Amino acid sequence: MNSTETTTSAPHGARVHALVRKGWLTNQHGAWAMMLVPILVGSILGGFTWPQALLTFAWLAAFFFFSALGLWIKVGASARKRTGGKPLDPKRKAAVARRQARYRSALITYASLAAVGALGLVLIKPDLVVWAPALAVCFGVAVWEMWRDADRSFLARASAVMASQLLTPIAFSLGSNPHDWARMWLATAVLTLYFVGTIPYVKTLIRERGSRAWIRGSIAYHGAVLTVAVVIASVGMLSWWIVALWALLLVRSVAFPAWSNKLGKPLRPAIVGFTEFAVSTAVVLVLVLPATLS
């Protein structure tokens, strides 16, 4: 039994790795919630319709295109970094071009699918073009950071977060009953603050594990948002469910880095992943259950 599982899983793993290397799949697993939760929340608040399925299709194609584009840009950025920013000689240019060529099929395919989906949405609802400038700015900032070989910077991550959260009002506007815009904008604000907060939080568990500066920054961010939420809720302008949610996020930002530091090693991906799934589910429930935002 074990030998069969080994022989069947190994080729599967090799195929997945090959798809990642060629840009067809992304290895940024944490981005899935950031990509899909805003559409889900906007669709629930606005009422489900079939154009929201088209929006999901177009956005996923754009997400995969952006992921492959990041790999394509990184090849050149890494080469320039190795030369200290000096122009590449013909031999290096040729090597960069050969490495970038592996992503060409994925880039063309996903760009075409995203374009078809976006065109279909505009034909259905022409005023969706109003969101294009904001999406373009977020996209441009992220691409610039990639070009600087800083694709993991806070600015690059934050621009991706902002682009994703625009999908909440877009999905909402495509709904069957898109009338409560105040509730929708509150949900968008909460999602934006939540996902921006995951940037320093995740860094404290992985790349910046043990960094006092990042841990303090993550705790300070969550504490500041919680304080503002308490003040607003105290005057009756915000649900206490939001306050409770943010108290949970603050506890998480303190407890998990401390746990990891006590162990002297990163937490197991399964622990972090399951916790984030549970937290994301709690965020969605707080935002879509009628009693929590009323």
Side-chain angles (χ1 to χ4, degrees):
M1 178 67 69
N2 290 338
S3 61
T4 302
E5 291 176 353
T6 301
T7 55
T8 55
S9 62
H12 174 73
R15 287 195 296 270
V16 171
H17 181 67
L19 291 173
V20 171
R21 286 186 67 253
K22 294 181 180 181
W24 290 102
L25 293 177
T26 179
N27 59 359
Q28 299 296 320
H29 306 298
W32 283 100
M34 186 180 70
M35 294 294 115
L36 297 176
V37 165
I39 294 181
L40 176 62
V41 171
S43 298
I44 293 174
L45 295 180
F48 286 108
T49 60
W50 73 263
Q52 292 160 345
L54 180 59
L55 174 65
T56 304
F57 168 82
W59 186 241
L60 286 176
F63 167 58
F64 282 117
F65 167 77
F66 186 76
S67 176
L69 180 64
L71 295 173
W72 186 90
I73 293 175
K74 191 172 182 64
V75 172
S78 298
R80 290 192 302 274
K81 186 176 182 179
R82 287 193 294 270
T83 62
K86 297 178 181 179
L88 302 179
D89 57 56
K91 185 176 180 179
R92 285 182 179 273
K93 283 184 177 180
V96 167
R98 285 195 300 271
R99 291 187 60 193
Q100 289 177 327
R102 73 172 66 153
Y103 308 119
R104 186 179 301 130
S105 296
L107 285 169
I108 293 173
T109 300
Y110 287 132
S112 301
L113 293 175
V116 169
L119 179 60
L121 288 168
V122 171
L123 291 176
I124 295 169
K125 191 175 179 62
D127 56 3
L128 287 178
V129 297
V130 72
W131 302 103
L135 288 169
V137 169
C138 294
F139 179 79
V141 170
V143 169
W144 173 252
E145 288 295 281
M146 290 176 181
W147 184 261
R148 293 178 53 247
D149 198 28
D151 55 300
R152 296 184 182 275
S153 69
F154 182 87
L155 181 59
R157 299 299 191 189
S159 65
V161 167
M162 296 301 295
S164 297
Q165 305 325 301
L166 291 174
L167 272 291
T168 305
I170 293 174
F172 179 83
S173 69
L174 291 170
S176 59
N177 188 34
H179 299 307
D180 195 350
W181 281 88
R183 179 185 175 93
M184 187 284 303
W185 283 119
L186 175 58
T188 302
V190 172
L191 285 175
T192 302
L193 291 170
Y194 164 61
F195 281 112
V196 167
T198 63
I199 300 172
Y201 166 69
V202 170
K203 284 185 178 293
T204 64
L205 298 179
I206 304 176
R207 293 184 175 273
E208 300 294 341
R209 189 177 68 86
S211 169
R212 293 183 179 275
W214 277 101
I215 292 174
R216 285 195 295 264
S218 177
I219 294 173
Y221 173 85
H222 288 88
V225 176
L226 175 59
T227 301
V228 173
V230 169
V231 172
I232 298 176
S234 298
V235 297
M237 297 177 62
L238 186 69
S239 168
W240 285 100
W241 283 102
I242 301 295
V243 176
L245 170 66
W246 223 268
L248 171 66
L249 296 176
L250 175 60
V251 170
R252 180 197 63 168
S253 71
V254 175
F256 275 66
W259 185 11
S260 178
N261 289 339
K262 184 176 180 179
L263 292 174
K265 60 182 180 180
L267 298 176
R268 288 186 299 170
I271 295 175
V272 177
F274 177 79
T275 304
E276 285 309 293
F277 175 80
V279 171
S280 297
T281 301
V283 171
V284 172
L285 290 176
V286 165
L287 296 180
V288 302
L289 292 179
T292 59
L293 290 184
S294 59

